[in-house]
Short mmCIF file of all heavy atoms in Angstrom, two decimals:
data_model
loop_
_atom_site.label_atom_id
_atom_site.label_comp_id
_atom_site.label_asym_id
_atom_site.label_seq_id
_atom_site.Cartn_x
_atom_site.Cartn_y
_atom_site.Cartn_z
N ALA A 1 -65.10 116.33 224.29
CA ALA A 1 -64.52 115.02 224.61
C ALA A 1 -65.51 113.88 224.37
O ALA A 1 -65.11 112.75 224.15
CB ALA A 1 -64.04 114.99 226.06
N ILE A 2 -66.80 114.19 224.38
CA ILE A 2 -67.82 113.15 224.20
C ILE A 2 -68.01 112.84 222.71
O ILE A 2 -67.93 111.69 222.28
CB ILE A 2 -69.17 113.58 224.82
CG1 ILE A 2 -68.99 114.07 226.27
CG2 ILE A 2 -70.19 112.46 224.73
CD1 ILE A 2 -68.36 113.10 227.22
N THR A 3 -68.26 113.89 221.91
CA THR A 3 -68.49 113.69 220.47
C THR A 3 -67.19 113.60 219.67
O THR A 3 -67.20 113.20 218.52
CB THR A 3 -69.33 114.84 219.89
OG1 THR A 3 -68.57 116.06 219.96
CG2 THR A 3 -70.65 114.99 220.63
N GLN A 4 -66.08 114.00 220.31
CA GLN A 4 -64.75 114.01 219.69
C GLN A 4 -64.66 114.98 218.50
O GLN A 4 -63.86 114.81 217.60
CB GLN A 4 -64.32 112.60 219.28
CG GLN A 4 -64.26 111.65 220.45
CD GLN A 4 -63.85 110.26 220.08
OE1 GLN A 4 -63.27 110.02 219.03
NE2 GLN A 4 -64.13 109.32 220.96
N LYS A 5 -65.51 116.01 218.51
CA LYS A 5 -65.52 117.02 217.45
C LYS A 5 -64.88 118.31 217.97
O LYS A 5 -65.01 118.66 219.14
CB LYS A 5 -66.95 117.33 217.01
CG LYS A 5 -67.74 116.12 216.54
CD LYS A 5 -67.37 115.76 215.14
CE LYS A 5 -68.31 114.67 214.63
NZ LYS A 5 -67.72 113.79 213.69
N LEU A 6 -64.22 119.03 217.05
CA LEU A 6 -63.68 120.34 217.39
C LEU A 6 -64.83 121.31 217.59
O LEU A 6 -65.66 121.50 216.70
CB LEU A 6 -62.75 120.84 216.27
CG LEU A 6 -62.07 122.18 216.50
CD1 LEU A 6 -61.11 122.11 217.68
CD2 LEU A 6 -61.34 122.62 215.24
N GLU A 7 -64.92 121.91 218.78
CA GLU A 7 -66.01 122.84 219.10
C GLU A 7 -65.70 124.24 218.59
O GLU A 7 -66.54 124.88 217.97
CB GLU A 7 -66.22 122.91 220.61
CG GLU A 7 -66.87 121.69 221.21
CD GLU A 7 -68.38 121.68 221.06
OE1 GLU A 7 -69.02 122.74 221.22
OE2 GLU A 7 -68.92 120.61 220.78
N THR A 8 -64.48 124.72 218.88
CA THR A 8 -64.13 126.08 218.50
C THR A 8 -62.62 126.27 218.55
O THR A 8 -61.91 125.49 219.18
CB THR A 8 -64.82 127.10 219.45
OG1 THR A 8 -64.62 128.42 218.94
CG2 THR A 8 -64.27 127.02 220.86
N VAL A 9 -62.17 127.31 217.89
CA VAL A 9 -60.79 127.78 218.00
C VAL A 9 -60.87 129.23 218.46
O VAL A 9 -61.39 130.08 217.74
CB VAL A 9 -60.02 127.66 216.67
CG1 VAL A 9 -58.58 128.18 216.87
CG2 VAL A 9 -60.02 126.23 216.15
N LEU A 10 -60.39 129.49 219.66
CA LEU A 10 -60.43 130.84 220.23
C LEU A 10 -59.21 131.61 219.75
O LEU A 10 -58.09 131.11 219.83
CB LEU A 10 -60.45 130.75 221.75
CG LEU A 10 -61.58 129.91 222.35
CD1 LEU A 10 -61.36 129.69 223.83
CD2 LEU A 10 -62.93 130.57 222.09
N LYS A 11 -59.46 132.82 219.24
CA LYS A 11 -58.36 133.59 218.65
C LYS A 11 -58.25 134.96 219.30
O LYS A 11 -59.12 135.80 219.14
CB LYS A 11 -58.58 133.73 217.14
CG LYS A 11 -58.55 132.39 216.44
CD LYS A 11 -58.75 132.52 214.95
CE LYS A 11 -58.70 131.14 214.31
NZ LYS A 11 -58.93 131.19 212.89
N GLU A 12 -57.18 135.14 220.02
CA GLU A 12 -56.87 136.43 220.64
C GLU A 12 -55.35 136.60 220.73
O GLU A 12 -54.84 137.70 220.72
CB GLU A 12 -57.51 136.53 222.03
CG GLU A 12 -57.28 137.82 222.77
CD GLU A 12 -57.97 139.03 222.15
OE1 GLU A 12 -59.02 138.85 221.51
OE2 GLU A 12 -57.46 140.15 222.30
N HIS A 13 -54.66 135.48 220.81
CA HIS A 13 -53.20 135.50 220.92
C HIS A 13 -52.57 135.68 219.53
O HIS A 13 -53.12 135.23 218.53
CB HIS A 13 -52.71 134.18 221.52
CG HIS A 13 -53.14 133.96 222.92
ND1 HIS A 13 -52.51 134.52 224.01
CD2 HIS A 13 -54.17 133.22 223.44
CE1 HIS A 13 -53.11 134.14 225.12
NE2 HIS A 13 -54.12 133.35 224.80
N THR A 14 -51.40 136.30 219.52
CA THR A 14 -50.66 136.47 218.27
C THR A 14 -49.35 135.68 218.28
O THR A 14 -48.58 135.75 217.33
CB THR A 14 -50.35 137.96 218.01
OG1 THR A 14 -49.65 138.48 219.14
CG2 THR A 14 -51.64 138.73 217.77
N SER A 15 -49.10 134.94 219.36
CA SER A 15 -47.92 134.08 219.43
C SER A 15 -48.33 132.73 220.02
O SER A 15 -49.46 132.55 220.48
CB SER A 15 -46.81 134.73 220.26
OG SER A 15 -47.20 134.87 221.61
N GLU A 16 -47.40 131.81 220.03
CA GLU A 16 -47.63 130.44 220.48
C GLU A 16 -48.25 130.40 221.87
O GLU A 16 -47.74 130.99 222.82
CB GLU A 16 -46.28 129.73 220.48
CG GLU A 16 -46.21 128.43 221.22
CD GLU A 16 -44.77 128.06 221.51
OE1 GLU A 16 -43.88 128.35 220.68
OE2 GLU A 16 -44.54 127.49 222.59
N VAL A 17 -49.36 129.66 222.01
CA VAL A 17 -50.03 129.50 223.31
C VAL A 17 -49.40 128.32 224.02
O VAL A 17 -49.38 127.21 223.51
CB VAL A 17 -51.55 129.31 223.15
CG1 VAL A 17 -52.20 129.08 224.50
CG2 VAL A 17 -52.16 130.52 222.45
N ARG A 18 -48.87 128.58 225.21
CA ARG A 18 -48.09 127.55 225.92
C ARG A 18 -48.90 126.77 226.96
O ARG A 18 -48.58 125.63 227.25
CB ARG A 18 -46.89 128.19 226.60
CG ARG A 18 -45.92 128.76 225.59
CD ARG A 18 -44.52 128.36 225.90
NE ARG A 18 -43.63 128.59 224.79
CZ ARG A 18 -42.43 129.10 224.92
NH1 ARG A 18 -41.98 129.45 226.10
NH2 ARG A 18 -41.66 129.25 223.86
N ALA A 19 -49.91 127.41 227.56
CA ALA A 19 -50.65 126.72 228.61
C ALA A 19 -52.09 127.21 228.67
O ALA A 19 -52.38 128.36 228.33
CB ALA A 19 -49.98 126.93 229.96
N VAL A 20 -52.97 126.30 229.07
CA VAL A 20 -54.38 126.62 229.31
C VAL A 20 -54.78 126.04 230.66
O VAL A 20 -54.19 125.07 231.12
CB VAL A 20 -55.31 126.07 228.20
CG1 VAL A 20 -55.02 126.73 226.86
CG2 VAL A 20 -55.21 124.56 228.10
N SER A 21 -55.79 126.65 231.28
CA SER A 21 -56.29 126.15 232.55
C SER A 21 -57.75 126.54 232.70
O SER A 21 -58.12 127.69 232.44
CB SER A 21 -55.47 126.73 233.70
OG SER A 21 -55.95 126.25 234.94
N TRP A 22 -58.58 125.59 233.12
CA TRP A 22 -60.00 125.85 233.36
C TRP A 22 -60.19 126.28 234.80
O TRP A 22 -59.57 125.74 235.71
CB TRP A 22 -60.82 124.59 233.11
CG TRP A 22 -60.82 124.13 231.69
CD1 TRP A 22 -59.89 123.33 231.10
CD2 TRP A 22 -61.78 124.42 230.68
NE1 TRP A 22 -60.21 123.11 229.80
CE2 TRP A 22 -61.38 123.76 229.50
CE3 TRP A 22 -62.96 125.18 230.66
CZ2 TRP A 22 -62.10 123.84 228.31
CZ3 TRP A 22 -63.68 125.25 229.48
CH2 TRP A 22 -63.25 124.59 228.33
N GLN A 23 -61.09 127.24 235.03
CA GLN A 23 -61.48 127.60 236.39
C GLN A 23 -62.23 126.38 236.96
O GLN A 23 -63.11 125.84 236.29
CB GLN A 23 -62.35 128.86 236.36
CG GLN A 23 -62.40 129.62 237.65
CD GLN A 23 -63.35 129.06 238.68
OE1 GLN A 23 -64.27 128.31 238.37
NE2 GLN A 23 -63.15 129.43 239.93
N PRO A 24 -61.90 125.91 238.16
CA PRO A 24 -62.44 124.64 238.65
C PRO A 24 -63.96 124.55 238.79
O PRO A 24 -64.50 123.45 238.77
CB PRO A 24 -61.78 124.47 240.02
CG PRO A 24 -60.58 125.34 239.99
CD PRO A 24 -60.90 126.47 239.07
N HIS A 25 -64.67 125.68 238.93
CA HIS A 25 -66.10 125.60 239.21
C HIS A 25 -66.99 126.24 238.15
O HIS A 25 -68.20 126.32 238.32
CB HIS A 25 -66.39 126.23 240.58
CG HIS A 25 -65.57 125.62 241.67
ND1 HIS A 25 -65.74 124.32 242.11
CD2 HIS A 25 -64.53 126.11 242.40
CE1 HIS A 25 -64.86 124.04 243.06
NE2 HIS A 25 -64.11 125.13 243.24
N THR A 26 -66.38 126.71 237.05
CA THR A 26 -67.17 127.29 235.96
C THR A 26 -66.56 126.81 234.65
O THR A 26 -65.66 125.98 234.64
CB THR A 26 -67.12 128.83 235.99
OG1 THR A 26 -65.79 129.26 235.69
CG2 THR A 26 -67.55 129.40 237.33
N SER A 27 -67.04 127.36 233.54
CA SER A 27 -66.42 127.01 232.26
C SER A 27 -65.55 128.15 231.74
O SER A 27 -65.34 128.28 230.54
CB SER A 27 -67.48 126.61 231.25
OG SER A 27 -68.41 127.65 231.08
N TYR A 28 -65.02 128.98 232.63
CA TYR A 28 -64.05 129.99 232.24
C TYR A 28 -62.71 129.30 231.95
O TYR A 28 -62.34 128.34 232.62
CB TYR A 28 -63.85 131.04 233.33
CG TYR A 28 -64.97 132.04 233.41
CD1 TYR A 28 -66.10 131.77 234.18
CD2 TYR A 28 -64.92 133.23 232.71
CE1 TYR A 28 -67.14 132.69 234.26
CE2 TYR A 28 -65.95 134.16 232.78
CZ TYR A 28 -67.06 133.88 233.56
OH TYR A 28 -68.08 134.77 233.61
N LEU A 29 -62.01 129.82 230.96
CA LEU A 29 -60.75 129.24 230.52
C LEU A 29 -59.70 130.34 230.46
O LEU A 29 -59.97 131.43 229.95
CB LEU A 29 -60.94 128.60 229.14
CG LEU A 29 -59.73 127.97 228.47
CD1 LEU A 29 -59.26 126.75 229.24
CD2 LEU A 29 -60.08 127.58 227.03
N ALA A 30 -58.51 130.05 230.98
CA ALA A 30 -57.39 131.00 230.88
C ALA A 30 -56.33 130.41 229.96
O ALA A 30 -56.13 129.20 229.92
CB ALA A 30 -56.80 131.26 232.26
N SER A 31 -55.66 131.28 229.21
CA SER A 31 -54.57 130.84 228.33
C SER A 31 -53.44 131.87 228.41
O SER A 31 -53.67 133.04 228.66
CB SER A 31 -55.06 130.69 226.89
OG SER A 31 -55.66 131.88 226.42
N VAL A 32 -52.22 131.38 228.21
CA VAL A 32 -51.06 132.27 228.26
C VAL A 32 -50.14 131.92 227.10
O VAL A 32 -50.01 130.76 226.72
CB VAL A 32 -50.33 132.16 229.63
CG1 VAL A 32 -49.76 130.78 229.85
CG2 VAL A 32 -49.26 133.22 229.76
N ASP A 33 -49.53 132.97 226.50
CA ASP A 33 -48.70 132.72 225.32
C ASP A 33 -47.23 133.03 225.57
O ASP A 33 -46.84 133.49 226.65
CB ASP A 33 -49.25 133.48 224.10
CG ASP A 33 -49.15 134.99 224.20
OD1 ASP A 33 -48.25 135.52 224.88
OD2 ASP A 33 -49.99 135.66 223.56
N LYS A 34 -46.44 132.77 224.56
CA LYS A 34 -44.99 132.92 224.63
C LYS A 34 -44.57 134.35 224.93
O LYS A 34 -43.53 134.60 225.55
CB LYS A 34 -44.41 132.46 223.29
CG LYS A 34 -42.92 132.50 223.19
CD LYS A 34 -42.47 132.01 221.83
CE LYS A 34 -40.96 132.05 221.69
NZ LYS A 34 -40.53 131.56 220.38
N MET A 35 -45.36 135.33 224.51
CA MET A 35 -45.03 136.74 224.70
C MET A 35 -45.58 137.30 226.01
O MET A 35 -45.71 138.49 226.19
CB MET A 35 -45.54 137.56 223.51
CG MET A 35 -44.99 137.10 222.17
SD MET A 35 -43.19 136.98 222.09
CE MET A 35 -42.75 138.70 222.17
N LYS A 36 -45.96 136.41 226.94
CA LYS A 36 -46.41 136.75 228.29
C LYS A 36 -47.79 137.39 228.34
O LYS A 36 -48.13 138.07 229.31
CB LYS A 36 -45.39 137.63 229.00
CG LYS A 36 -44.00 137.03 229.06
CD LYS A 36 -43.02 137.98 229.71
CE LYS A 36 -41.62 137.42 229.64
NZ LYS A 36 -40.62 138.33 230.17
N LYS A 37 -48.60 137.15 227.31
CA LYS A 37 -49.97 137.66 227.33
C LYS A 37 -50.90 136.59 227.86
O LYS A 37 -50.86 135.45 227.40
CB LYS A 37 -50.39 138.06 225.91
CG LYS A 37 -51.81 138.55 225.82
CD LYS A 37 -52.16 138.93 224.39
CE LYS A 37 -53.57 139.46 224.26
NZ LYS A 37 -53.89 139.83 222.86
N ALA A 38 -51.72 136.94 228.83
CA ALA A 38 -52.71 136.03 229.38
C ALA A 38 -54.10 136.50 228.96
O ALA A 38 -54.37 137.70 228.93
CB ALA A 38 -52.62 135.99 230.90
N VAL A 39 -54.96 135.55 228.63
CA VAL A 39 -56.34 135.84 228.24
C VAL A 39 -57.27 134.98 229.08
O VAL A 39 -57.02 133.78 229.26
CB VAL A 39 -56.58 135.56 226.74
CG1 VAL A 39 -58.04 135.79 226.37
CG2 VAL A 39 -55.65 136.41 225.87
N VAL A 40 -58.32 135.58 229.62
CA VAL A 40 -59.37 134.81 230.31
C VAL A 40 -60.59 134.85 229.42
O VAL A 40 -61.09 135.91 229.06
CB VAL A 40 -59.68 135.39 231.71
CG1 VAL A 40 -60.81 134.61 232.35
CG2 VAL A 40 -58.44 135.36 232.59
N TRP A 41 -61.03 133.66 229.04
CA TRP A 41 -62.18 133.52 228.14
C TRP A 41 -63.43 133.32 228.98
O TRP A 41 -63.41 132.57 229.96
CB TRP A 41 -61.99 132.32 227.22
CG TRP A 41 -60.67 132.37 226.47
CD1 TRP A 41 -59.49 131.85 226.87
CD2 TRP A 41 -60.44 132.98 225.21
NE1 TRP A 41 -58.51 132.10 225.93
CE2 TRP A 41 -59.06 132.81 224.88
CE3 TRP A 41 -61.24 133.68 224.29
CZ2 TRP A 41 -58.49 133.27 223.73
CZ3 TRP A 41 -60.67 134.16 223.14
CH2 TRP A 41 -59.31 133.96 222.85
N GLY A 42 -64.52 133.98 228.59
CA GLY A 42 -65.80 133.82 229.29
C GLY A 42 -66.32 132.42 229.12
O GLY A 42 -65.61 131.52 228.69
#
């Protein structure tokens, strides 16, 4: 958000990713896709 540059594209899902959420006290990120698969990123 500071440099306005794309940092990374995380790839684990094989269908449309509908929602993401950051863990409030760390930099862990969760994502969930259309096919009901959830991924927690380190």
Side-chain angles (χ1 to χ4, degrees):
I2 310 303
T3 65
Q4 300 180 19
K5 303 281 188 210
L6 182 65
E7 287 279 319
T8 188
V9 179
L10 304 170
K11 297 181 180 178
E12 181 68 28
H13 295 279
T14 55
S15 65
E16 166 198 325
V17 177
R18 296 227 165 137
V20 295
S21 180
W22 295 85
Q23 202 279 340
H25 305 292
T26 67
S27 57
Y28 284 87
L29 178 66
S31 55
V32 64
D33 67 28
K34 182 179 179 179
M35 303 306 291
K36 304 177 185 176
K37 178 180 181 180
V39 177
V40 177
W41 307 90

